[in-house]
Structures are given as C-alpha cells and as structure tokens.
C-alpha cells in the first residue's frame, strides 16, 4: 500500500510549545501526521482490515453486543526518529486504540502497555523484574503486525536508540450503538 510513503508525505509541522506537549523538548517528540488518515482513499484496505479486526476483538474477546459498528475517531502516522520518545498516555474517550507497524527492527523500542494500579497503595518488594511484576506489558514491533487494546490503558514507547526510524500508524475506535441497558436512565446511543 505504500504506507511508509503515505506517512512521510503527510507529516505535519507544529509548534510544540503551543501544542499538547508544551513540557517536552521538540527534538524528542516523534513526528506525526494529522489524525484523519482514515479519510485517504488509498488507505481503505488497511482501514477495512483494522475495522474488521477491532470488531472481532469487541465481539469475540470482550463479548460486546454484535450490533455495534466500528467507527474510527482518529488515525495518524508516527515516525519515531533516533532520540524520540512517546510519553505515557491513554485515549480514554474511545473504546479501542491500537497500532499497525509499517516497519520493525529488533532494536526498536517496544510498545509498553501499563497495567492499571486501581489505587493500590503499596507493592511487595520485587527481587527480579519480569513481565508479570514490572507494571507493564511489552510488545516488540514486527512489520505488518496489528495490536489492539482498550483505550483506557496507559501506554508509551521508550527512546528509539538506533538511526532507523520506527514507523507506525496508530488509531482510536469508538463503537457505535446503544450503551448500557435500554431501560436504564444511563442508557445512551453513540
């Protein structure tokens, strides 16, 4: 699909001091595209693949109502150059978030999905860190892989230490349909 070209051709310039990351130095923030890549006709095959995979995750894994439809709220490209880092954040105004890896190098930093602490006030002493006790799950990028996770989970990417750019397309998805029991006063249709 020429995904790397699409991402590189759509990178935007913005003034980091006035945008949403004013505390970060501009030289460590990955390059990004606008958040409307899903509107590009040439990306339709990828959007269909991600939409179908997200629907399957919703219905098969989470057991959500199969009458929901998948709606992209944002899709953007990322280029993480050497020295760039993506701070810990979440997209809690959506249902699912994810990333599609356009390229991958075994030395690229992994996606870190942080486990929620749910207000735990203390933790046992850890003698040796492992994926179960370190507070995060790591997904090493592999070319053409797709990772989908609940949007409320905080995630980050550590510093890219190699010269090769780490290139991906990230997305947020909302499920459209009725939420909560129809007889509830809290029921709403998105």
């Amino acid at each position: 699909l020429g995904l790397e070209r699409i991402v590189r051709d759509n990178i935007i310039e913005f003034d980091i001091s006035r945008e949403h990351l004013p505390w970060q130095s501009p030289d460590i923030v990955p390059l990004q595209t606008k958040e409307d890549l899903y509107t590009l006709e040439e990306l339709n095959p990828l959007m269909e693949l991600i939409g179908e995979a997200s629907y399957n995750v919703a219905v098969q894994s989470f057991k959500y109502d199969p009458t929901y439809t998948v709606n992209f709220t944002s899709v953007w490209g990322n280029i993480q150059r050497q020295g760039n880092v993506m701070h810990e954040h979440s997209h809690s105004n959506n249902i699912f978030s994810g990333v599609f890896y356009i390229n991958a190098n075994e030395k690229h930093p992994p996606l870190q999905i942080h486990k929620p602490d749910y207000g735990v006030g203390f933790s046992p002493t850890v003698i040796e860190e492992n994926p179960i006790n370190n507070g995060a799950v790591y997904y090493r990028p592999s070319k053409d892989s797709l990772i989908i996770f609940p949007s409320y989970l905080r995630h980050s990417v550590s510093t890219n230490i190699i010269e090769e750019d780490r290139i991906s397309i990230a997305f947020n998805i909302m499920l459209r349909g009725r939420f909560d029991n129809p007889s509830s006063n809290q029921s709403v249709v998105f």
Side-chain angles (χ1 to χ4, degrees):
L1 295 175
L3 298 176
E4 182 174 342
R5 177 194 51 79
I6 292 169
V7 170
R8 289 189 185 281
D9 288 351
N10 285 281
I11 291 297
I12 58 173
E13 296 288 330
F14 62 95
D15 181 356
I16 198 73
S17 66
R18 291 185 306 215
E19 292 291 335
H20 43 287
L21 302 173
W23 61 89
Q24 286 194 343
S25 171
D27 58 336
I28 67 167
V29 177
L31 299 172
Q32 291 187 328
T33 68
K34 290 183 182 178
E35 295 180 344
D36 64 353
L37 287 187
Y38 61 91
T39 64
L40 298 177
E41 190 173 321
E42 57 196 316
L43 285 184
N44 284 349
L46 180 63
M47 297 300 95
E48 288 176 22
L49 172 102
I50 293 172
E52 182 179 329
S54 298
Y55 178 83
N56 289 337
V57 167
V59 173
Q60 294 171 12
S61 298
F62 284 84
K63 305 298 183 191
Y64 291 157
D65 185 338
T67 63
Y68 284 125
T69 57
V70 170
N71 178 242
F72 289 100
T73 60
S74 54
V75 176
W76 66 99
N78 295 297
I79 298 177
Q80 186 181 11
R81 299 165 294 167
Q82 185 176 26
N84 290 172
V85 63
M86 181 53 68
H87 70 284
E88 186 178 325
H89 64 285
S90 68
H91 304 271
S92 56
N93 58 341
N94 287 273
I95 301 297
F96 294 119
S97 295
V99 61
F100 181 83
Y101 291 102
I102 294 171
N103 73 341
N105 182 308
E106 63 184 28
K107 295 183 180 177
H108 278 151
L111 170 66
Q112 300 173 38
I113 298 183
H114 304 274
K115 297 175 186 172
D117 65 9
Y118 298 114
V120 174
F122 62 93
S123 296
T125 301
V126 172
I127 298 170
E128 179 182 336
E129 282 195 3
N130 63 37
I132 297 170
N133 66 22
N134 71 359
V137 176
Y138 297 87
Y139 293 98
R140 179 82 43 207
S142 62
K143 183 176 172 28
D144 297 331
S145 64
L146 173 65
I147 297 174
I148 300 170
F149 54 91
S151 296
Y152 65 82
L153 290 174
R154 299 190 63 76
H155 51 283
S156 62
V157 179
S158 58
T159 304
N160 183 9
I161 61 170
I162 65 172
E163 288 184 21
E164 181 184 356
D165 293 340
R166 180 183 184 272
I167 305 172
S168 62
I169 293 179
F171 58 90
N172 289 317
I173 285 177
M174 186 64 182
L175 297 177
R176 300 296 180 190
R178 179 167 297 283
F179 283 67
D180 210 342
N181 185 319
S183 64
S184 165
N185 288 336
Q186 300 300 313
S187 181
V188 64
V189 176
F190 286 107

